[in-house]
Amino acid sequence: MKYTLPIGPIHPALKEPIMFEFEIEGEKIVNVDIKPGHNHRGIEWAGMRRNPIQIIYLAERICGICSASHPFAFCMAVENATDISVPDRAEYLRVIVAELERIHSHLLWAGVAAHELGFDSVLYLTWRVREKVMDILEYLTGNRVNYAMYMIGGIRRDITDKQIPKVKEALNYYKGLLEKLGNIFLKDPTIRMRTRNVGVLTKEDALKLCAVGPTARASGVKKDVRQDYPYAAYADLDVKAITPDILAGKVVGDVYDRIIVRLLEIKQSVEIIEECLKNMPSGEIMSEPKIPKLLINLKKAVGEGIGRHEAPRGEVFHYVKLDGKETPYTWKARAPTYNNLLAWIPMLVGEQIADIPIVAASTDPCIACTDRVAVIRGNKKNILTKEILHKMCVEKTRRLMK
Amino acid sequence: MMLILRLLILPVILAVFSIFMGLIYKSVDRKLAAHMQARIGPPLRQPFRDVRKLFIKENIVPENAVAWIYNLTPVLSLTAAVSILLYIPIGSITILSGYGDLILILYLLMIPALGMIAGGFASGSPYATVGAQREMVMLMSYEFPLAITVISIVWKLSTTYVLTDAFSLTTLAKYPVWEAVGPVGFIGLAILLLTLLVVTPAELSKIPFDAPEAETEIAGGLLAEYSGRNLAMFYLSDAVKTVAMAGIVVALFFPYNISVFFNLPTTIGIIVDILFFLLKVLIIITVCVTFVRVAAARLKIDQVAYTYFIQLTLFGLIGLVLIVLDTILPVLTG
Amino acid sequence: MNKKSEITPEGIVEYFKNQFGDKVIDFRVEKRKIGVKKNEQKMVWFRVERSVFKDAVKHLLDLQFPHLSVVSGNDVGENIELIYHFTVNYGEHLREIPVNISVEVPKNDLKIPTICDLIPGALVTEREKQEMFGINVEGIPDSRRMFLPDDFPENVYPWRKDEKGIPEKMVKKLWEEKK
């Protein structure tokens, strides 16, 4: 006997609003329908009416956890379009901030996944560990989220020699901790029972549905923008895409594999930051330090450009077209969860209801990033039109009263 | 006169006392769990504040709920949970000692769970339906090992000492079962104790067996639609059931009273016994509920059913067989 | 031409020119130097006509199954230009090449064939283009609205810059609202 179970838009299992409708027989899921759009804020349209430097501020606020990824990709897109070249030191600093954000995001995800499983102890412990990387980010950038470090042509703040020892101390702390994290997540019997062979995404499905990020890598697809199409300092480092067979020997494509991929990526990030600190070139950090002059240059620029960045969740893609006016002609921002939405369907069909939160959370969805995708010159959905109607109503009354 | 005292006044005192103690145990459990998770945790008065807040809030009855069942089941759960305590020896006194035995207690244990199921189905929401279905499956699963444990102990006692009312709890208190078994039976009893300790978290719907009330999966499950006074009564019945279940474990396996050792005068002896009982209950709750809650994730309902139907039942049956052997072996060899 | 290591940007351009002749226009191969070691990063842009668009995509699939990042769009006066951002050749360091294929669709004949049967992952982005530009994607398996709410007015296409874009009255200027 089939019945329909709606999950969302507001549900304790989901960190952000998205609507799922499941058709269920008993406890088994037969069909899934995904309806995004509840977090739609019209950011791209707002961006098309502002100049590129203001767009950076908008891009930071697309999402809290991916706050360094969107401006990074946007700046690269604009630099591609206008052939501004970024100084070497700025490239390395950008990579350091991006990797710190990756550590922070993966630790947050680990805690959330444990909470979905009902394992609150691990949630508290993991988020406590995450405080260390937030402290370092605050020390370097001045804020725990929304770092405001990226600018077209470089980066806004530098790392002085005084700050480096503290960063190194935090990295050593994490290196010592990874053993323990690995033990908690990978060797615990209840976690293994809940995540092995659950939410499987086969390699063919991952390729056909164009999945990105750890979701695709856990299914054996070695896609990583840092490896395939390197940008900034990654071109000098040798970053390899991480797939679960490094640790487990085989690839199944289930939730357990995604945990493995993310934990190994934390380790990889720590190593990348150390490499960068070791090989940091000296020089200036911005190609054009005076912002008004940069703005004048951008106003005259013509061209189109693409920026791609490997955010913690996958590939972030920005496309910008400038045509010599103050505001860009087109701005398209595409978050990684956009591509991973379709991947939910083969993962969820055939599983039980109890698996829905952990499978949905295993792709690390960031619905805030996804929904602001389209340009909507109408800002927030219903609320707006109701008020406009009310206003028109009031005006008509006033007219009639005259 | 004594009957009126026992039937009317003592149960009221008992109800208040058990609710109070249940909430205190809940707060100790939360505080211990918090320290195990490197947090500080809420102060000891927190459950009392929670209950007071719930009583103040509005009681919403959803539109497509069956109102009379919806409002009746919390009261039913709470009264059934309190009445279990009437039959368990608390220290050295049992309030209604001649009037009920283990079989009655087993029936009474099921009523709060059945009440929650009925309340869940009567809520009229898909989340509550899913939660109620899961609770039904869990109820069926853990009854079997529970029954095996109880029956083995009673059978052992009734064959060792020729008794007519082996199911009665005063008999269990008079003849602690550990003294009635030889070495083989000792192992069997240990196995049975372990089985009962694993049944306890399922009975009380705690992690890893709290699939019916999973917060992240089905938004609160059974209790999703309850609020205000009804939810407060379910909360209280959960607290009292904790005391009752731990009390049953204590009564079955550890019914010792220390006042016997110290030869104290009767009134002080009663009070000391009650305190000792409370201490034993606290230890059982810490072992079964708090440690397990902090150390494991939530299991899916089919994994829960598998654990109880297959693994624990086999385990319990091994214990039963060992106890039977313990009786038969001296006869065969001796 | 089919081995991974032999795919170069110039090779891709040749490949398409051979197949489609002059229906493929506006080639551009961009190269940039990055990092301290000054390695090279390459990108291919070209435009195809709508009539051979689906064949062009099939041709790309014969080369290697691509990864579709997204479809972006521009409103250029009389036409709507859709740019399909593909990438080929993932898997090795510095080897991936983005291939950006743009198609122009005239506004009085807003149709384009779907590529969902070739690349199932294109469903989300094609649905978005349908609701944002008013383009009719032929053969799409699911044509409901993706991100816009269901009661959004018909015939208002947010990304257009002409009369069918968002009218001024739908915009709420917060700085002009009185409390």
Side-chain angles (χ1 to χ4, degrees):
Chain A
M1 198 213 60
K2 279 196 204 169
Y3 60 96
T4 315
L5 184 73
I7 296 228
I10 312 285
H11 189 270
L14 308 166
K15 295 299 164 228
E16 280 152 337
I18 187 170
M19 181 75 174
F20 284 113
E21 268 183 23
F22 293 100
E23 273 177 47
I24 307 198
E25 272 181 12
E27 275 242 1
K28 214 158 146 238
I29 301 176
V30 172
N31 202 0
V32 160
D33 189 21
I34 304 181
K35 296 187 186 154
H38 293 269
N39 218 352
H40 193 122
R41 290 160 287 163
I43 288 190
E44 275 171 7
W45 180 73
M48 291 211 231
R49 303 188 343 149
R50 286 163 170 74
N51 63 48
I53 300 200
Q54 288 172 321
I55 295 185
I56 297 185
Y57 291 110
L58 262 185
E60 279 164 13
R61 280 146 185 86
I62 292 181
C63 171
I65 333 175
C66 324
S67 155
S69 317
H70 284 281
F72 197 170
F74 178 70
C75 289
M76 284 205 298
V78 172
E79 284 150 17
N80 250 342
T82 58
D83 277 332
I84 298 178
S85 74
V86 180
D88 292 330
R89 189 176 171 93
E91 307 256 33
Y92 275 73
L93 285 172
R94 279 180 172 183
V95 164
I96 291 181
V97 175
E99 292 300 320
L100 280 172
E101 185 202 40
R102 191 185 314 270
I103 298 179
H104 154 229
S105 170
H106 282 326
L107 281 175
L108 185 143
W109 175 83
V112 166
H115 178 61
E116 307 288 0
L117 285 175
F119 207 159
D120 283 338
S121 314
V122 177
L123 165 70
Y124 298 129
L125 291 171
T126 318
W127 278 31
R128 193 158 155 256
V129 161
R130 184 177 143 238
E131 290 295 317
K132 190 83 178 169
V133 82
M134 307 272 261
D135 284 343
I136 288 295
L137 278 166
E138 185 177 2
Y139 186 58
L140 290 178
T141 68
N143 203 0
R144 281 155 59 102
V145 281
N146 277 2
Y147 321 122
M149 286 287 266
Y150 293 95
M151 178 51 77
I152 301 177
I155 196 170
R156 289 175 69 198
R157 292 186 192 89
D158 201 353
I159 297 187
T160 59
D161 285 331
K162 254 192 334 177
Q163 293 172 321
I164 293 189
K166 254 211 173 156
V167 178
K168 288 217 164 111
E169 175 206 332
L171 292 176
N172 285 336
Y173 172 76
Y174 276 112
K175 272 208 280 214
L177 202 61
L178 282 168
E179 270 294 323
K180 236 191 252 180
L181 274 178
N183 272 342
I184 295 180
F185 274 100
L186 301 174
K187 304 233 170 61
D188 184 88
T190 25
I191 290 191
R192 200 178 256 258
M193 259 206 284
R194 284 302 299 269
T195 57
R196 247 304 170 218
N197 289 327
V198 167
V200 176
L201 183 68
T202 56
K203 191 167 172 180
E204 295 86 44
D205 273 339
L207 273 178
K208 271 202 304 203
L209 295 172
C210 304
V212 291
T215 316
R217 291 202 277 279
S219 302
V221 177
K222 282 187 190 285
K223 262 192 212 174
D224 189 336
V225 185
R226 298 174 292 170
Q227 166 195 285
D228 302 324
Y229 191 70
Y231 49 94
Y234 294 116
D236 304 332
L237 309 163
D238 198 15
V239 176
K240 295 231 176 331
I242 292 189
T243 46
D245 48 2
I246 297 179
L247 195 65
K250 59 182 167 81
V251 173
V252 176
D254 55 9
V255 176
Y256 190 73
D257 281 343
R258 288 178 209 132
I259 300 181
I260 296 181
V261 168
R262 287 193 175 96
L263 289 179
L264 286 177
E265 281 191 0
I266 298 182
K267 183 157 168 251
Q268 193 188 39
S269 292
V270 170
E271 286 165 8
I272 292 179
I273 299 180
E274 286 191 329
E275 250 329 288
C276 282
L277 282 177
K278 214 166 50 169
N279 300 340
M280 178 87 80
S282 55
E284 56 208 31
I285 49 173
M286 285 259 268
S287 74
E288 179 55 68
K290 299 205 193 64
I291 308 281
K293 199 153 161 236
L294 178 65
L295 198 54
I296 294 180
N297 286 348
L298 285 172
K299 276 189 199 170
K300 294 188 289 207
V302 175
E304 48 185 0
I306 287 182
R308 299 168 76 210
H309 166 60
E310 179 79 15
R313 286 163 184 77
E315 171 204 6
V316 167
F317 184 95
H318 279 239
Y319 165 76
V320 169
K321 180 165 175 179
L322 301 164
D323 65 343
K325 295 218 225 10
E326 182 172 354
T327 63
Y329 196 74
T330 306
W331 173 40
K332 172 105 187 81
R334 195 274 279 150
T337 311
Y338 189 90
N339 275 13
N340 285 345
L341 276 179
L342 284 175
W344 265 330
I345 301 184
M347 279 200 267
L348 282 170
V349 168
E351 302 291 342
Q352 294 183 8
I353 301 182
D355 294 321
I356 297 175
I358 186 62
V359 170
S362 73
T363 61
D364 206 359
C366 184
I367 313 291
C369 288
T370 311
D371 271 353
R372 55 69 253 132
V373 160
V375 173
I376 182 171
R377 292 181 185 234
N379 298 327
K380 290 214 176 83
K381 339 160 237 155
N382 301 333
I383 312 178
L384 178 64
T385 44
K386 259 194 251 169
E387 266 152 339
I388 295 292
L389 285 176
H390 173 78
K391 214 162 112 177
M392 294 196 323
C393 228
V394 168
E395 282 173 327
K396 183 165 178 186
T397 321
R398 299 265 152 77
R399 267 199 315 248
L400 291 176
M401 283 201 306
K402 273 197 210 150
Chain B
M1 172 57 201
M2 273 307 287
L3 203 60
I4 296 182
L5 181 70
R6 287 172 85 185
L7 277 181
L8 289 180
I9 305 184
L10 275 184
V12 172
I13 301 181
L14 177 72
V16 171
F17 175 70
S18 63
I19 290 181
F20 181 74
M21 285 317 296
L23 289 177
I24 294 224
Y25 282 130
K26 222 181 172 79
S27 69
V28 169
D29 166 57
R30 278 168 80 166
K31 194 86 175 156
L32 264 179
H35 277 285
M36 283 196 246
Q37 291 170 342
R39 299 181 286 138
I40 299 185
L44 287 176
R45 282 176 25 219
Q46 191 61 30
F48 296 96
R49 286 182 180 145
D50 285 344
V51 172
R52 206 192 95 194
K53 172 200 85 165
L54 281 175
F55 271 118
I56 297 178
K57 297 257 179 186
E58 181 191 352
N59 196 1
I60 302 180
V61 180
E63 216 177 55
N64 45 351
V66 182
W68 63 276
I69 302 184
Y70 187 82
N71 288 322
L72 179 62
T73 49
V75 181
L76 197 62
S77 286
L78 185 57
T79 38
V82 169
S83 21
I84 301 179
L85 279 171
L86 288 172
Y87 300 101
I88 301 179
I90 304 181
S92 43
I93 43 172
T94 315
I95 298 189
L96 286 180
S97 65
Y99 293 92
D101 56 7
L102 265 180
I103 304 275
L104 179 62
I105 290 185
L106 281 183
Y107 275 120
L108 279 178
L109 262 183
M110 272 211 295
I111 294 188
L114 282 176
M116 283 168 82
I117 294 177
F121 275 125
S123 295
S125 111
Y127 295 129
T129 313
V130 171
Q133 287 170 343
R134 290 180 178 185
E135 177 75 30
M136 279 200 299
V137 171
M138 239 177 43
L139 188 64
M140 292 189 289
S141 320
Y142 67 67
E143 284 295 319
F144 203 167
L146 184 61
I148 293 180
T149 313
V150 166
I151 292 191
S152 328
I153 294 180
V154 170
W155 181 84
K156 184 68 192 161
L157 281 181
S158 67
T159 49
T160 318
Y161 315 101
V162 180
L163 303 163
T164 47
D165 55 348
F167 276 107
S168 152
L169 281 159
T170 36
T171 323
L172 281 174
K174 232 173 9 177
Y175 303 105
V177 72
W178 297 98
E179 300 165 6
V181 291
V184 178
F186 191 79
I187 303 179
L189 263 191
I191 293 182
L192 285 179
L193 174 62
L194 212 56
T195 315
L196 196 56
L197 285 181
V198 178
V199 166
T200 311
E203 180 84 49
L204 304 171
S205 257
K206 301 269 187 258
I207 294 181
F209 304 115
D210 76 337
E213 286 165 27
E215 173 229 330
T216 50
E217 293 169 15
I218 39 179
L222 286 177
L223 303 175
E225 303 289 336
Y226 279 97
S227 58
R229 211 175 21 135
N230 287 340
L231 187 60
M233 282 198 270
F234 269 130
Y235 192 81
L236 286 175
S237 88
D238 178 62
V240 173
K241 226 168 71 157
T242 317
V243 178
M245 188 66 197
I248 293 178
V249 176
V250 165
L252 277 177
F253 284 98
F254 307 110
Y256 305 102
N257 284 325
I258 51 173
S259 67
V260 176
F261 290 123
F262 294 122
N263 278 331
L264 298 166
T266 351
T267 12
I268 302 191
I270 293 183
I271 297 181
V272 168
D273 277 338
I274 294 182
L275 288 176
F276 190 55
F277 172 78
L278 294 177
L279 179 66
K280 283 187 280 188
V281 168
L282 178 66
I283 296 178
I284 300 269
I285 290 183
T286 313
V287 167
C288 292
V289 174
T290 315
F291 276 152
V292 177
R293 181 160 82 97
V294 172
R298 185 182 300 132
L299 291 177
K300 289 192 283 198
I301 190 65
D302 61 338
Q303 290 167 332
V304 168
Y306 179 73
T307 314
Y308 282 107
F309 264 123
I310 315 274
Q311 292 173 329
L312 266 188
T313 310
L314 273 178
F315 207 52
L317 282 175
I318 294 179
L320 176 64
V321 162
L322 284 178
I323 288 194
V324 168
L325 274 181
D326 182 77
T327 314
I328 302 183
L329 228 45
V331 175
L332 286 179
T333 56
Chain C
M1 199 56 210
N2 282 327
K3 286 214 208 111
K4 241 190 199 179
S5 47
E6 289 179 5
I7 299 182
T8 61
E10 293 80 13
I12 295 182
V13 171
E14 278 301 313
Y15 183 62
F16 275 92
K17 263 205 188 132
N18 287 344
Q19 178 80 5
F20 294 107
D22 60 351
K23 298 231 193 240
V24 183
I25 21 180
D26 254 358
F27 281 101
R28 212 160 80 219
V29 175
E30 295 182 354
K31 297 198 179 158
R32 278 192 187 84
K33 293 200 175 356
I34 31 162
V36 173
K37 293 190 191 148
K38 300 293 172 215
N39 289 317
E40 265 197 346
Q41 220 184 32
K42 312 174 192 76
M43 227 193 285
V44 175
W45 302 70
F46 58 82
R47 198 181 318 164
V48 291
E49 294 193 6
R50 186 170 55 152
S51 46
V52 294
F53 167 64
K54 192 147 180 186
D55 296 323
V57 175
K58 258 197 228 149
H59 204 56
L60 185 64
L61 256 82
D62 287 335
L63 185 59
Q64 192 192 70
F65 193 85
H67 166 78
L68 173 68
S69 291
V70 79
V71 179
S72 59
N74 284 319
D75 179 344
V76 279
E78 284 188 2
N79 302 334
I80 292 185
E81 179 194 10
L82 292 176
I83 310 183
Y84 284 70
H85 301 277
F86 291 103
T87 60
V88 289
N89 228 1
Y90 70 91
E92 293 168 54
H93 193 54
L94 272 179
R95 285 242 159 257
E96 201 174 24
I97 303 174
V99 178
N100 305 302
I101 304 181
S102 40
V103 182
E104 286 210 359
V105 179
K107 274 191 191 169
N108 43 19
D109 182 29
L110 281 174
K111 289 204 287 284
I112 192 164
T114 178
I115 56 171
C116 279
D117 45 349
L118 303 167
I119 304 178
L123 182 65
V124 173
T125 184
E126 285 189 349
R127 266 169 81 181
E128 189 198 5
K129 297 301 153 295
Q130 262 196 304
E131 64 184 359
M132 291 294 158
F133 273 123
I135 289 187
N136 191 2
V137 180
E138 294 167 337
I140 193 169
D142 184 353
S143 71
R144 286 173 305 165
R145 285 191 152 155
M146 185 85 183
F147 292 108
L148 293 179
D150 289 330
D151 56 354
F152 198 73
E154 298 275 340
N155 268 331
V156 176
Y157 300 118
W159 273 357
R160 297 252 205 118
K161 293 185 197 272
D162 54 11
E163 72 280 359
K164 284 215 179 138
I166 302 260
E168 270 303 309
K169 63 178 167 73
M170 272 181 92
V171 178
K172 192 170 164 188
K173 294 203 171 67
L174 283 175
W175 61 90
E176 285 174 15
E177 289 286 315
K178 298 198 177 47
K179 276 288 166 85

